[in-house]
Amino acid sequence: MTQLHVAVALDGAGWHPAAWRSPAARPHDLFTAAYWTDLLAEAQRGLLDFVTIDDSFTIQSADHFAADSRTDQVRGRLDAALIAARIAPGSAHIGIIPAVSTTHTEPFHTSKNIATLDYISTGRAGVQVRVGGLGGEAALFGRRPSPPALSFETLATPEVERFIAERFDEAADYIEVVRRLWDSWEDGAEIRDRATDRFVDRDKLHRIDFEGRWFSVRGPSITPRPPQGQPVVTVLAHSTVPYRLAARQADVVFVTPHDPAGAAAILAEVRQEAAGAALQVYADLVVFLGADAASASARKEHLDELDGAELFSDARILAGTAEALADHIEELHQLGYDGVRLRPGVLPYDLTAVTDQLVPLLRRRGLFRDRYPATTLRGQLGLDRPTSRYQSISVGTDA
Amino acid sequence: MTRPRKQIILGAYLGGVNHQTVWSDPAAGSQIEFASFQHAAQTAERGKFDFFFLAEGLALRERLGQIFDQDVIGRPDNITVLTALAAVTSHLGLIATVNATFNEPYELARQLATVDHLSGGRAGWNIVTSSDAFTGGNFRRGGFLKREDRYTRAEEFLAVARRLWDSWSADDVLADTGSGQFLRRPDAGEFAFSGKQFDISGRFTVPRSPQGHPVILQAGVSAEGREFAAGGGPDAIFSPFHTLAEAQPFYRDIQERSARHGRPAGSTKVLPGAAFVLGDSEADAVERHREIALAQISGRGAQILLETVWNRDLSGYDPDGPLPDVDPDPTGPLVIQGRARIHQDALDTVSKWRALAASNGFSLRQLAVHVFGHTEFVGTPTQVADRLDAFVQNDGSDGFIIGSHLTPTGLDEFVDKVVPLLQERGSLRTDYDGTTLRDNLGIPAYTDRSSLTAA
């Protein structure tokens, strides 16, 4: 069986909206460097493959389609790509994957920012591409027309479906541009050749000349090819349209199966979309861990009570023992999943439970390694370092 | 009553991608790897500098349609690097140059507030604008901004950023587990702005950062630029002047304009960039300077530098021969793309250069070395310390942004040899006495002056 990968998704005080009220949370530290540094160190202690750091331009809301006026949940967040940059220097081995929006952030900026994160972390950067454009996001920028009004009722209307399909097509172009810019400096373009008074070999620098339906970008990047060549691109996907995006452009896709049958069906659909491409599939799970099933459930239920509603999540919620979670992960792995991305219900509590309890269990079952096998994230995930797509073009030409 | 000795503000600058940075020196290191930035920033902090400063470029320069291959090119994203430097420094301010043309205020204000949080209050922003269509080719919007709209965009961009930074009060995050209240009020972060450049509204996601507003720097010495610096709120302005005769009137003018806008004396800092070359003796320093200038400007480099003004292909002119006998072609298609035009009036500049070359007997390369290879402070450590100090005490500026021809170790000898002399004179701190960049610079928290400038 292939290697099992275990990642963890970081967001605020944890994935329960009342997580910050847990005695184990650090609600006063959410906007400090120390908080995020400690979380990464804990994940690295558990030899986890990578962390993702969630992000959104719009403020958190209990309403999925608009801002709300609640004051009893965490509101406010820092820029995820910069959190990643801040915590990278103090760590080693573990991958760091911030979320970035494709709808507003310039692809040129994203490409150089993630390349820079790859330099800072010496080859441990990735990006979770997030398709935005919904809710109040357009108004924050004022650069695009407002999207059609959204609600659970309008989601299936042709207008909204077309809007969403177009945003995902745009996201595919976006990733294409980001990837081309990463390749726009071939390896070894910097020659520092005193004899010919040349710092770079300009034949190894390439315009990308991307012309798409939504935008065009000339290139090359201002940042040389990053250490991994291509940092790892990830996508969270819940249905066919995003599966297709992941299949076209991502290295890792996070999916949200809720039961074994669904898990098998999703995997089959994603594999079919990927058509043999090396796309790794991870299942997302929200986790609340406890010494026994009852205490784990009680932890979650207490937070539900504080929040005034039962936790709603796109991903399956597991409240139980580390043993039960290990069983579930093993099941997914046997189905053919490459890994899991765990969303801790409360931070740092459930992350610590993962590293202290779950990881040793997985190891005992022969599912998880006892050391980091590589220094780069691609190496960690068993991905080769690709040569630049432009490399062959320059061979034997004098363009 | 004698005036108290002014404390010299020192910024460190790394990562020139231009002819000043000598890559051919065997000691020259990477301009990309994080270790280079870490070395330079930690060196600056060892020297009790106020801040570390990074420039920006958003397109590789081209000459006659081909990428420049002669100077150092390639750089990382500066905000990302500075945020990472917060992890390996503790007091040093972190100032990024960021273009207001190819960014949007919601996103950039969010990034800068994030850096301020993650550095414990050490963020700064050098605001620049560009109307460069060539650079625009790398961005969705293209080169949309007209040259005459640059200050409108900059002023409005800064006004929007300030509104976003003020959209959270310092006490809006309660995180009170007892009462279950995370926010003090339901509308924290709410904002709206409507102007010529921006029409935006919503809720900002970043709670108020330690400095409230990051420190703002600005370059530009036109009347428009000076007025922006004095009234619109930048905390510091770059100065291009390096002789007291030129620098003092500029310094005075900035102070007078600030006072007219109701700002306290000394609240707009004036900072020229400055390079240095040290030697054991003055003659030794002068000789080192000569060698460095020749390394900075090769024969081919000299042709290219003059092309920025001539706007003609000068590759056929002997670098060791006389100046090109043709006139510049200021209206022709640009020979050099992606570089700010330093000399606005090409015909006037060239006629001055011809006179300069004639009276000194300069060849093409010698003229380029004279004009572009200038280093402001050349001498023994004592001489350099004396001149830096005298320049500040005589109100030529409030300090300097120090750069070197050598990445990343060029600053080392300045910190080892010049800094202790400035400290002995009582003109430079021997330790930090605050935690934020505003503390370092001795400037107060930003307060809204719109009521004062409205008149």
Side-chain angles (χ1 to χ4, degrees):
Chain A
M1 195 175 298
T2 59
Q3 175 73 56
L4 172 74
H5 300 288
V6 179
V8 70
L10 303 178
D11 185 28
W15 290 81
H16 196 294
W20 71 275
R21 298 169 74 171
S22 158
R26 296 170 59 183
H28 292 280
D29 299 340
L30 304 183
F31 311 109
T32 66
Y35 178 69
W36 296 95
T37 304
D38 291 349
L39 292 178
L40 186 69
E42 182 59 31
Q44 182 180 299
R45 198 173 64 84
L47 307 186
L48 304 189
D49 287 86
F50 59 84
V51 301
T52 58
I53 305 170
D54 212 45
D55 204 357
S56 169
F57 284 126
T58 49
I59 201 146
Q60 299 94 326
S61 177
D63 179 337
H64 291 276
F65 302 104
D68 65 9
S69 54
R70 286 180 75 153
T71 57
D72 65 331
Q73 297 179 344
V74 171
R75 295 290 178 268
R77 59 165 91 243
L78 304 179
D79 181 281
L82 294 178
I83 292 175
R86 176 64 179 78
I87 62 181
S91 62
H93 301 290
I94 190 163
I96 308 174
I97 302 184
V100 168
S101 159
T102 57
T103 310
H104 297 284
T105 301
E106 288 280 354
F108 190 86
H109 287 320
T110 296
S111 183
K112 77 172 161 33
N113 295 356
I114 299 300
T116 302
L117 180 63
D118 208 38
Y119 278 103
I120 290 167
S121 63
T122 53
R124 295 179 287 126
V127 60
Q128 182 184 334
V129 167
R130 204 175 165 283
V131 178
L134 304 180
E137 206 180 86
L140 301 171
F141 287 82
R143 301 272 336 121
R144 308 172 77 114
S146 288
L150 280 184
S151 66
F152 281 115
E153 290 76 45
T154 61
L155 267 182
T157 61
E159 188 195 9
V160 171
E161 282 187 346
R162 186 172 61 245
F163 177 81
I164 290 173
E166 286 183 350
R167 293 292 71 73
F168 276 90
D169 277 347
E170 182 180 1
D173 281 1
Y174 189 99
I175 304 173
E176 174 70 16
V177 166
V178 167
R179 286 192 178 282
R180 283 194 199 177
L181 287 168
W182 284 335
D183 279 349
S184 64
W185 290 57
E186 289 180 35
D187 297 322
E190 189 180 307
I191 51 173
R192 295 181 183 245
D193 184 34
R194 279 190 263 178
T196 57
D197 202 11
R198 290 181 306 152
F199 182 78
V200 288
D201 177 353
R202 66 159 70 103
D203 292 342
K204 292 186 173 172
L205 298 180
H206 303 273
R207 288 189 170 191
I208 68 165
D209 286 328
F210 180 86
E211 306 268 350
R213 179 172 164 197
W214 288 277
F215 51 82
S216 55
V217 175
R218 185 188 62 228
S221 179
I222 59 161
T223 308
R225 195 153 193 260
Q228 293 182 102
Q230 292 277 322
V232 173
V233 175
T234 71
V235 174
L236 169 63
H238 303 100
S239 62
T240 304
V241 169
Y243 295 157
R244 196 162 291 155
L245 171 69
R248 279 158 74 183
Q249 289 287 9
D251 300 298
V252 175
V253 60
F254 308 121
V255 297
T256 53
H258 282 262
D259 52 55
I266 289 171
L267 190 63
E269 185 179 358
V270 172
R271 291 268 181 252
Q272 190 186 340
E273 289 290 347
L279 176 65
Q280 296 191 358
V281 186
Y282 293 31
D284 266 20
L285 297 167
V286 181
V287 296
F288 296 85
L289 293 172
D292 52 65
S295 69
S297 295
R299 284 187 56 232
K300 177 192 166 280
E301 281 155 19
H302 177 61
L303 293 173
D304 285 352
E305 207 171 293
L306 286 174
D307 197 50
E310 196 183 336
L311 175 62
F312 171 87
S313 174
D314 57 325
R316 180 164 182 182
I317 301 162
L318 287 174
T321 62
E323 193 83 37
L325 178 57
D327 288 346
H328 187 68
I329 291 172
E330 190 166 4
E331 215 172 280
L332 287 165
H333 195 47
Q334 278 163 358
L335 274 176
Y337 278 81
D338 299 284
V340 288
R341 184 176 71 152
L342 304 175
R343 305 185 193 173
V346 176
L347 287 168
Y349 185 92
D350 290 300
L351 169 60
T352 309
V354 164
T355 56
D356 273 352
Q357 300 163 34
L358 176 71
V359 164
L361 276 176
L362 292 174
R363 204 170 282 149
R364 227 167 291 149
R365 297 183 186 194
L367 289 169
F368 199 62
R369 56 202 155 60
D370 56 7
R371 61 180 183 85
Y372 279 111
T375 59
T376 69
L377 177 55
R378 288 191 77 90
Q380 196 66 32
L381 301 183
L383 302 169
D384 293 336
R385 185 182 186 282
T387 52
S388 163
R389 71 195 63 197
Y390 298 107
Q391 194 150 315
S392 57
I393 294 172
S394 64
V395 172
T397 76
D398 56 4
Chain B
M1 192 180 96
T2 54
R3 200 172 68 156
R5 179 167 281 273
K6 278 164 76 181
Q7 290 294 300
I8 299 176
I9 292 170
L10 287 182
Y13 164 64
L14 180 78
V17 296
N18 49 43
H19 68 275
Q20 276 118 357
T21 305
V22 175
W23 56 261
S24 56
D25 190 309
S30 172
Q31 82 288 6
I32 297 292
E33 281 165 25
F34 183 63
S36 290
F37 293 94
Q38 180 169 341
H39 175 87
Q42 290 179 335
T43 302
E45 189 159 86
R46 183 160 63 80
K48 311 301 175 196
F49 276 49
D50 293 77
F51 61 86
F52 190 72
F53 173 86
L54 292 176
E56 186 192 45
L58 295 174
L60 298 182
R61 289 174 196 159
E62 292 186 2
R63 176 183 174 278
L64 295 171
Q66 286 200 303
I67 289 163
F68 247 59
D69 60 2
Q70 179 172 20
D71 294 340
V72 174
I73 62 167
R75 46 177 139 200
D77 177 68
N78 57 13
I79 302 185
T80 307
V81 167
L82 289 165
T83 308
L85 287 175
V88 296
T89 56
S90 56
H91 288 82
L92 194 65
L94 304 163
I95 300 181
T97 303
V98 187
N99 199 302
T101 308
F102 301 112
N103 285 282
E104 293 298 324
Y106 185 84
E107 184 168 36
L108 182 58
R110 193 169 182 266
Q111 291 173 314
L112 291 167
T114 296
V115 182
D116 208 44
H117 276 288
L118 295 177
S119 64
R122 296 188 277 142
W125 173 29
N126 174 34
I127 179 169
V128 297
T129 53
S130 155
S131 55
D132 180 10
F134 174 75
T135 302
N138 285 335
F139 295 93
R140 295 185 188 201
R141 270 189 99 179
F144 68 93
L145 192 67
K146 291 195 210 111
R147 191 173 169 80
E148 60 269 27
D149 290 339
R150 287 182 307 153
Y151 275 101
T152 310
R153 175 123 183 141
E155 281 180 39
E156 222 177 81
F157 198 119
L158 183 55
V160 179
R162 291 201 186 284
R163 186 160 302 181
L164 292 165
W165 293 328
D166 283 339
S167 66
W168 289 72
S169 302
D171 58 357
D172 275 340
V173 176
L174 298 174
D176 181 354
T177 48
S179 70
Q181 227 183 324
F182 188 84
L183 285 189
R184 187 176 56 81
R185 56 187 175 108
D187 56 348
E190 203 163 278
F191 72 94
F193 185 98
S194 186
K196 286 180 193 147
Q197 291 282 330
F198 308 106
D199 184 4
I200 62 175
S201 61
R203 276 177 76 183
F204 192 52
T205 66
V206 186
R208 194 169 181 85
S209 70
Q211 291 188 110
H213 293 208
V215 169
I216 307 297
L217 276 76
Q218 196 258 147
V221 295
S222 66
E224 220 177 358
R226 294 178 191 208
E227 204 52 26
F228 175 51
D235 302 290
I237 183 167
F238 287 101
S239 161
F241 304 116
H242 295 99
T243 65
L244 274 178
E246 290 174 305
Q248 285 172 327
F250 178 72
Y251 189 86
R252 242 185 342 264
D253 182 50
I254 293 297
Q255 306 312 321
E256 285 165 10
R257 285 175 192 265
S258 292
R260 277 206 295 281
H261 286 282
R263 302 180 68 176
S267 56
T268 311
K269 303 298 182 189
V270 177
L271 299 170
F276 65 92
V277 174
L278 301 178
D280 294 334
S281 64
E282 186 168 5
D284 177 39
V286 169
E287 174 56 20
R288 256 190 97 195
H289 174 233
R290 199 184 64 82
E291 287 167 12
I292 290 166
L294 288 173
Q296 286 170 322
I297 301 170
S298 63
R300 187 158 163 261
Q303 292 164 344
I304 292 170
L305 284 166
L306 295 197
E307 283 174 351
T308 61
V309 172
W310 251 271
N311 200 38
R312 288 183 187 280
D313 179 356
L314 301 182
S315 57
Y317 292 87
D318 180 3
D320 297 319
L323 296 194
D325 47 11
V326 292
D327 281 332
D329 180 21
T331 56
L334 286 179
V335 171
I336 310 279
Q337 291 269 30
R339 182 183 180 118
R341 278 199 181 194
I342 307 158
H343 301 89
Q344 294 302 340
D345 186 338
L347 292 167
D348 182 53
T349 303
V350 166
S351 76
K352 281 180 185 152
W353 285 356
R354 289 197 195 287
L356 195 62
S359 59
N360 291 285
F362 284 157
S363 67
L364 186 160
R365 185 180 180 198
Q366 285 168 327
L367 176 88
V369 167
H370 180 84
V371 173
F372 294 95
H374 185 63
T375 296
E376 291 78 19
F377 296 95
V378 179
T380 65
T382 305
Q383 287 173 325
V384 168
D386 283 344
R387 288 176 205 155
L388 291 168
D389 198 22
F391 197 83
V392 170
Q393 303 309 334
N394 289 299
D395 286 345
S397 73
D398 293 302
F400 305 91
I401 299 179
I402 305 281
S404 161
H405 67 284
L406 198 60
T407 298
T409 54
L411 199 61
D412 296 30
E413 60 175 348
F414 185 91
V415 167
D416 291 335
K417 294 173 180 169
V418 179
V419 161
L421 299 174
L422 294 173
Q423 288 170 329
E424 270 172 31
R425 285 163 172 74
S427 299
L428 184 67
R429 66 174 69 84
T430 53
D431 207 351
Y432 293 101
D433 49 14
T435 58
T436 69
L437 175 53
R438 285 181 186 277
D439 291 341
N440 290 352
L441 299 173
I443 51 174
Y446 173 81
T447 50
D448 189 0
R449 288 183 295 269
S450 55
S451 58
L452 295 164
T453 54

